Amino acid sequence: MEKLSINELKELEKLSILCRGDILKMTTLAGSGHPGGSLSSIDMYLTVYKMANISPDNYKSLDRDRIIVSHGHTSPGVYSVLGRNGFFDIDEAIAYFRLAGSIFEGHIERMVPGVEWTTGNLGQGLSAACGMALAAKYFSKSYNVYCFMGDGEQQKGQISEARRFAIKYRLNNLIAFVDYNRLQISGNIADVMPQNIKDEYIADGWAVLEIDGHNFEEISRAIIEANKIERPVLILAHTIMGKGVSFMENKEVYHGKALSEEQLDEALKELGIENDLEKYKKMRANFSFDETKHEIFRYEINIDTGIPKTYGVKVKTDNRSAFGAAITDLVQLNSLKSDSNPILVFDCDLAGSVKTDKVAADFKEYFYESGIQEHHTATCAGAASVNGIVSFFADFGVFGIDETYNQQRLNDINDTNLKVVTTHVGIDVGEDGKTHQCIDYIGVMRNLYGFKVIVPADPNQTDRAVRYAASKYGNFLISMGRSKTAVIPDENGKPFFGEDYVFEYGKIDIIRDGEIPLLSYGSMLQRGLEVVEILKNEGLNLALLNVSCPFHLDKDTLLKFKDSKIWFTYEDHNVNSGLGAIIADFIATNGLGIKLVKFGIKNYSYSGKPDNIFSLIGLSPKAIAADIKSYL
Amino acid sequence: MEKLSINELKELEKLSILCRGDILKMTTLAGSGHPGGSLSSIDMYLTVYKMANISPDNYKSLDRDRIIVSHGHTSPGVYSVLGRNGFFDIDEAIAYFRLAGSIFEGHIERMVPGVEWTTGNLGQGLSAACGMALAAKYFSKSYNVYCFMGDGEQQKGQISEARRFAIKYRLNNLIAFVDYNRLQISGNIADVMPQNIKDEYIADGWAVLEIDGHNFEEISRAIIEANKIERPVLILAHTIMGKGVSFMENKEVYHGKALSEEQLDEALKELGIENDLEKYKKMRANFSFDETKHEIFRYEINIDTGIPKTYGVKVKTDNRSAFGAAITDLVQLNSLKSDSNPILVFDCDLAGSVKTDKVAADFKEYFYESGIQEHHTATCAGAASVNGIVSFFADFGVFGIDETYNQQRLNDINDTNLKVVTTHVGIDVGEDGKTHQCIDYIGVMRNLYGFKVIVPADPNQTDRAVRYAASKYGNFLISMGRSKTAVIPDENGKPFFGEDYVFEYGKIDIIRDGEIPLLSYGSMLQRGLEVVEILKNEGLNLALLNVSCPFHLDKDTLLKFKDSKIWFTYEDHNVNSGLGAIIADFIATNGLGIKLVKFGIKNYSYSGKPDNIFSLIGLSPKAIAADIKSYL
């Protein structure tokens, strides 16, 4: 990396004035947005985009440098730099900023050419940068990852997690910037929440360089120096909010407030830029919506799914062990193939329980141990996966879903290729009690549009589902309990999900045919089978359906039972938000006129062996059989 | 606070042996649990319970010292100390540990006498301790708050947030311990996730004392010293996992593994304790479940709700301003009354937007500015509220719900008295785009059993709902959009929620009567009114129902419309998980045979003015009126 020449520095100076004009015009035109921080970060953005290996020609190549902007509200700044560097027509960004249907949204998003990661909820950018930085080695690339952050944002705990992770995994290709303008929405950061940013980074092992964030020579020198330091580096850049417009400087009100047209005129005069707002007003009035511009680029994924493993009906193992065997097989198989995408496994101090310990032991370079840092890990795994990686993040349900819901939401908005595997869901986790009983995994994830959810019934279905999810681009949640599970048998006593079984996403399996359907899934299915058998002995002919993909219902199979006046659901999940709620939705929105009886968990539960708890709360197979009988 | 005498120290030594025996017996009997960390923390627990002002006689008094154990899996240690100090019968704790229906659960919970805060999900304890520490001054109490944490747990980012908060608010009555045994589940903490715990606390401004955590004299001296230091203090206690049983020491396997009966026998011999396991086995076999033991103690709450404010139909304001006016009124009113409970307002750098800025300006001592630290703030506000405080945590929906879901879940399990007020929910937030559009607030909170959710329709209903929630013990979510809202008029053009309106939780308001119901709420209700008016002009007679409490449906009102073959829902929320889903559930589980048509948001949306976005995605009143017509 070479020093910038005097001419190049002069060119940056000129560009920075144009960009300031762009920022002010687009925010005034939209009547909202964040000009203050944009003006404060813009000189750094310009310098990094100048020096880094990223351009309109290579922004889809695997070896480009990555630039993450964590404080995504500085979108006007980002759009102006990208536009002025030819990633798209700058006039469109100015004209269509924050206009419904435009890609130039209030916070930066991945469909904009050159934007690597959708941000907006603060504190996640450094974790995303870690994910992209670690991905480099799997493609024998030496690219850098630059991560810009705000200073107020440093208050978020997730950043401390990311800092430690970067040190542990020697992500020396990671260079972070803090835009240290000392103002956040509520005022001076020292008043809002006193913090020693520099000391915190040093305590965690980072190198810290301090510069003037509006001096192009200092910025470029720091980038060159940071590239030489064999550690993650923070460039703490002293800046001025609203920099370049005298009446905006150091005023926190401009964090999130656009100038009026009169103020804009005054500001443009000060910058020496022509006021051509009318031109953009006309463009804005003639905007035409194009859905295809909102598509996000995906790398193609090629995974060898190997040979499925079939567990015999006499085997009694847990689904998580079946997951562990499958993921170990997948990592091994694909690590040997040059045309396979790398499969990485992320852990939060639970490898032994979630059964990724064999990957940890035997395929160390495909395994990332993050410690008890779930927020960071969820984001890091997600961000790695948009770079040609297949990420598996295995954790207990309460950590991989409940604790990290917003991180998974942002992953989903980012269209990541993340496989979240949560074990220990349901009351099935048993003695660990309420805080560990993830009885909301369907209900919580139901709010995300992109995630596909699979809750396999037994070790055989688990094996197939894991191999399937690994090979398909996109976000999956695969959930399972803790306890050992019976291998579900067919009517002949053979494994229902046997040698010939092929997992089909969305398919409902008729485990036992009959007239009145009992719908279940996961670890409850084996209890459902007990219910059906008890009732069979009493002359009642129930069908047992396995709904392993609750978000994408197999309508044809369900409608086979439309003549039954009553349906039952039975689940180890909050009764308000699980499969029962989804089936109710199906019944009501299709106007089927069927009565639904839902069996599920009605309150935070107890700590004890699952069977004992189910008995205590009226959900044992015997109790359910009696209940069903009373309805028929 | 006085030095412990030699006799007292000797007594602690003796007790510590008995407690070690208790820990080992209860875990072996249960066949699971966490003996390793319990043995490592037990000597500190004993010393603090000895020196702190807490006993079976005063554990419900407001001036007791508070002891929080953040690493709640050391429950065997906590139960043994509490039992040996007379909070309950130690034999019951040993016999019933982790038995379904017993209060001695796998992780400590608040229904156990002496347990201040239910924990289990790591990283939240220090925030809870902050909440209890700040509560002290409102009751003119000088109590101390002691907080125990694990060392692996220090990796959680939320702890860094809590550290800063404690310094900012000079919580000098806060003394924290880290049980520094250097082992977490996956092995040595330095291998799992290298961290400079001491330096991190110092960087954030804490005083740090280092001691031997198994030396009673050192522990007690450190407590006395910490009490003198005018800063939050961390006592970094070097300990040994499994301490006291030679073959368990420094073995991470005993983090979460009980001894076999043979090993127990060996360990008890080493400790010089009689093996009376048979006695406990018999007790365990005869356990009888008592639901009343699971009840959590609540302080009575007394709040003056003041005089409701009525906004006329010509007023156009936003619900958040109505919230702002109401909360300012409530804080002022109750701050003046000696028999009122204090109302505290917690903010995360958004006071101006969520309209708590007037409280911040005029009632500074009732206002806590946490910066961008939502995880900490949610827990801190929750924990303050179990100590006689009424906590209001106001934030944007994506931060107060999505980002902090697991903190709210733990608050709910803790039966807190927290009022979460989220503004900027829905697409109504507009230009900030996908990352800021909280279109899942009903769907996510639906998973919590205790929270009551209110989504007021206009400023008048907002005013009443806020006053109502402040006066009732329990967890409430009150959600509102960003935009200005019409005051909902009755048929005579007067405010529907006028002078005489009294908020009734769970009531459905018939805004306009008719034959076919259109159910709506929040900022969409005004659009629903437009729909009804459009259709009225076309001769269709729709009823408009306001479902402001979606979790507790008013069955009688709904059943008035049971003869309509079709119902419609219309909401600014994910269509899969909002009111539509709840109404579908009502229809199907009651077997009503009604067809439901749900209008809501089908994907992550765009950035722009709400009306423009609604038009783009087919949710404008005009589009909905046309759709409804096509069904009739």
Side-chain angles (χ1 to χ4, degrees), chain A residues 233-355:
Chain A
V233 177
L234 172 72
I235 299 177
L236 189 60
H238 296 268
T239 57
I240 293 168
M241 181 173 277
K243 169 76 180 179
V245 179
S246 52
F247 65 87
M248 294 177 78
E249 291 189 356
N250 286 318
K251 301 258 168 56
E252 73 259 25
V253 63
Y254 291 113
H255 166 89
K257 197 182 164 189
L259 299 183
S260 68
E261 290 198 18
E262 297 69 40
Q263 289 173 314
L264 174 70
D265 199 58
E266 193 185 333
L268 292 178
K269 274 196 188 105
E270 186 178 334
L271 291 166
I273 293 177
E274 181 202 357
N275 186 344
D276 50 2
L277 202 65
E278 291 308 315
K279 171 182 122 187
Y280 294 110
K281 279 188 186 169
K282 273 183 209 138
M283 276 183 75
R284 192 173 180 91
N286 292 308
F287 171 73
S288 77
F289 174 57
D290 179 358
E291 180 64 50
T292 62
K293 289 201 168 174
H294 288 262
E295 279 163 21
I296 294 177
F297 170 74
R298 291 175 166 190
Y299 288 107
E300 271 183 38
I301 294 296
N302 180 34
I303 292 293
D304 184 342
T305 57
I307 300 159
K309 181 167 178 176
T310 301
Y311 299 82
V313 289
K314 286 182 182 157
V315 175
K316 189 125 181 163
T317 183
D318 40 33
N319 287 355
R320 55 200 171 110
S321 293
F323 158 63
I327 188 67
T328 309
D329 188 29
L330 285 168
V331 169
Q332 174 165 35
L333 206 57
N334 289 282
S335 70
L336 301 170
K337 298 195 139 186
S338 61
D339 61 339
S340 275
N341 294 70
I343 299 176
L344 301 187
V345 174
F346 293 83
D347 179 51
C348 288
D349 197 25
L350 287 171
S353 299
V354 303
K355 306 295 181 189

Side-chain angles (χ1 to χ4, degrees), chain B residues 221-237:
Chain B
R221 240 185 315 166
I223 292 169
I224 292 169
E225 196 180 334
N227 265 290
K228 291 180 189 152
I229 297 174
E230 292 290 310
R231 265 200 284 173
V233 177
L234 171 71
I235 299 176
L236 189 60

Side-chain angles (χ1 to χ4, degrees), chain A residues 155-157 161 164 168 186 192 196 200 203-204 291 349 374 405 412 440 447 577 585 598 604 606, chain B residues 155 157 161 164 168 186 192 196 200 203-204 291 349 403 405 412 440 447 577 585 598 604 606:
Chain A
Q155 293 153 11
K156 287 289 294 178
E161 299 178 358
R164 286 186 285 268
K168 176 180 178 187
S186 305
V192 177
N196 302 315
E200 286 190 1
D204 285 332
E291 180 64 50
D349 197 25
E374 294 89 3
Y405 170 67
D412 204 39
D440 52 11
N447 296 286
S577 60
D585 203 289
K598 303 186 300 176
Y604 302 113
Y606 305 103
Chain B
Q155 294 153 10
E161 299 178 358
R164 286 186 285 268
K168 176 180 178 186
S186 304
V192 177
N196 300 315
E200 287 189 1
D204 286 332
E291 180 63 51
D349 197 25
E403 177 79 356
Y405 170 66
D412 204 39
D440 52 11
N447 296 286
S577 59
D585 202 291
K598 305 186 297 176
Y604 302 115
Y606 305 104

Side-chain angles (χ1 to χ4, degrees), chain A residues 75-332:
Chain A
S75 54
V78 176
Y79 299 148
S80 70
V81 170
L82 289 172
R84 294 286 170 183
N85 277 290
F87 285 81
F88 45 74
D89 181 352
I90 180 65
D91 283 344
E92 292 195 359
I94 297 173
Y96 306 147
F97 180 58
R98 288 181 159 235
L99 185 62
S102 144
I103 59 168
F104 300 106
E105 305 207 349
H107 291 78
I108 56 168
E109 303 212 10
R110 275 191 73 213
M111 67 280 194
V112 176
V115 172
E116 298 283 356
W117 190 249
T118 297
T119 55
N121 296 176
L122 295 170
Q124 299 195 23
L126 193 61
S127 299
C130 287
M132 297 196 188
L134 69 82
K137 78 171 181 184
Y138 301 94
F139 302 101
S140 307
K141 303 295 178 190
S142 59
Y143 63 74
N144 279 336
V145 180
Y146 298 92
C147 178
F148 290 99
M149 295 177 280
D151 51 5
E153 160 173 36
Q154 299 304 310
Q155 293 153 11
K156 287 289 294 178
Q158 185 175 336
I159 291 183
S160 72
E161 299 178 358
R163 276 200 300 262
R164 286 186 285 268
F165 183 89
I167 292 295
K168 176 180 178 187
Y169 284 104
R170 301 175 196 277
L171 301 178
N172 300 339
N173 56 340
L174 179 57
I175 299 172
F177 288 80
V178 167
D179 179 357
Y180 202 19
N181 62 32
R182 294 174 191 267
L183 289 178
Q184 61 190 113
I185 301 178
S186 305
N188 194 300
I189 54 172
D191 300 326
V192 177
M193 185 50 63
Q195 180 178 22
N196 302 315
I197 295 175
K198 187 176 172 180
D199 289 356
E200 286 190 1
Y201 276 80
I202 289 171
D204 285 332
W206 284 54
V208 178
L209 306 175
E210 280 193 84
I211 62 164
D212 171 356
H214 298 302
N215 181 319
F216 293 103
E217 208 184 335
E218 279 195 37
I219 303 167
S220 65
R221 239 185 315 168
I223 292 169
I224 291 169
E225 195 181 334
N227 264 288
K228 290 180 190 151
I229 297 173
E230 292 291 309
R231 263 200 285 173
V233 177
L234 172 72
I235 299 177
L236 189 60
H238 296 268
T239 57
I240 293 168
M241 181 173 277
K243 169 76 180 179
V245 179
S246 52
F247 65 87
M248 294 177 78
E249 291 189 356
N250 286 318
K251 301 258 168 56
E252 73 259 25
V253 63
Y254 291 113
H255 166 89
K257 197 182 164 189
L259 299 183
S260 68
E261 290 198 18
E262 297 69 40
Q263 289 173 314
L264 174 70
D265 199 58
E266 193 185 333
L268 292 178
K269 274 196 188 105
E270 186 178 334
L271 291 166
I273 293 177
E274 181 202 357
N275 186 344
D276 50 2
L277 202 65
E278 291 308 315
K279 171 182 122 187
Y280 294 110
K281 279 188 186 169
K282 273 183 209 138
M283 276 183 75
R284 192 173 180 91
N286 292 308
F287 171 73
S288 77
F289 174 57
D290 179 358
E291 180 64 50
T292 62
K293 289 201 168 174
H294 288 262
E295 279 163 21
I296 294 177
F297 170 74
R298 291 175 166 190
Y299 288 107
E300 271 183 38
I301 294 296
N302 180 34
I303 292 293
D304 184 342
T305 57
I307 300 159
K309 181 167 178 176
T310 301
Y311 299 82
V313 289
K314 286 182 182 157
V315 175
K316 189 125 181 163
T317 183
D318 40 33
N319 287 355
R320 55 200 171 110
S321 293
F323 158 63
I327 188 67
T328 309
D329 188 29
L330 285 168
V331 169
Q332 174 165 35

